[in-house]
Amino acid sequence: MSTAVKLTITPLKPSQLPSESAILAAGKELIDSTESWKAGKTYHKVVKTYYRPKHPEDGAQFHCRVSKHPASEATFDQIWSKLGADKALHEKEFIPDIHKVTKVKEISPTQTIWTLYYKFTPPVKARVFTVLQVVQLQETSPRSGMIISIPIDLSDDPELAALEEKAIKGRYVSVERLTELDDGTTEWRMATSSTPGGSIPAFIVESSMPSKIAEDVPHFMKWLQGLPRPIECKA
C-alpha cells in the first residue's frame, strides 16, 4: 500500500493523520516543485510570487512566495526561532486579522494542532482555521527548516472541537521552508492553497492570494526587528 501523501485543503481527522515522515516527504516534494512554477508579480520589491495550474486533486489553486533576507536584516536562527516554534502564536503578533490562537493538542514536540480565529472588516464574517503544524530542522549544511500546515477536522472529538471559536470554517494547507545560503542570506519560500469557506467567490479569493501572502513578509520582518534584543554577555 502506498504511503504517499497529497497535500490539499481537504481536512483530515486526527485519527486519519499520516506518519510524520510521510507528511515531511510530501512537504519537501511540494516545496521543491515550486522551483518550476510560473512566475507572478513581485511585491514590496523583494517578495516574488509564483503559481501552478490547479491539479485534479487540488481543492484550490496553489500559490507560492519567495523572499531572501541578508543576515543584516535577520539571521536564519532569528527567523527560525519564530517560525519553527509556536508559529501560530507568533503569527497572531504580526498578522492583524488573527484575533485568537489556541493550542488544541500537542501530539509530539514536532507536531501540534492549533486553531486560529480570524476577524475581518465587515461585511466579511469571521473565520476559524484549524491545522496540524509539523516542523523539521536540518542542521547539516545548508541548514534548512520546514513547517507544514495541514487542515484538521475536529468534528469527531467534541472535547477538542469545543476549543474552536464559532465561525465559518476555512481551510488551508501550506509548506514553508527556510534555507541558509552560503553568504548567510536566508531564503524564505512558502507554498499554500486555501479556501475561506462561506460564499466568497473563488475567483476573488484566487486573484487576491499573491498580494495577501506577500504582505506577511514585511509584517513579519517589521515585528521581528522590533522585538527586544537579547543582552550579550561580555567576557
Side-chain angles (χ1 to χ4, degrees), residues 27-40 46-52 62-69 76 79-80 83 87 91 134 136 143-149 173-181 185-193 213-214 216-217 220-221:
K28 183 179 186 304
E29 180 182 7
L30 178 68
I31 205 71
D32 284 347
S33 74
T34 62
E35 298 279 0
S36 61
W37 290 9
K38 296 181 179 179
V46 295
V47 186
K48 297 179 179 180
T49 63
Y50 303 86
Y51 65 95
R52 79 174 192 194
F62 269 90
H63 299 266
C64 173
R65 62 165 165 77
V66 181
S67 55
K68 294 182 178 180
H69 306 276
F76 176 92
I79 300 173
W80 178 254
L83 297 181
K87 177 176 180 284
E91 284 180 321
V134 181
Q136 180 191 55
R143 288 197 300 167
S144 65
M146 192 160 56
I147 312 103
I148 303 169
S149 299
V173 60
S174 69
V175 180
E176 297 185 64
R177 183 171 67 193
L178 299 177
T179 305
E180 187 177 43
L181 306 180
T185 296
T186 299
E187 182 192 78
W188 183 6
R189 180 177 294 263
M190 191 273 283
T192 187
S193 176
I213 61 176
D216 287 346
V217 175
F220 174 82
M221 287 297 167

Side-chain angles (χ1 to χ4, degrees), residues 189-207:
R189 180 177 294 263
M190 191 273 283
T192 187
S193 176
S194 69
T195 174
S199 58
I200 301 176
F203 77 90
I204 293 179
V205 175
E206 298 298 350
S207 63

Side-chain angles (χ1 to χ4, degrees), residues 73 82 218-229:
E73 179 184 19
K82 303 306 178 188
H219 283 171
F220 174 82
M221 287 297 167
K222 181 179 179 180
W223 169 73
L224 181 66
Q225 293 168 355
L227 294 174
R229 297 295 182 189

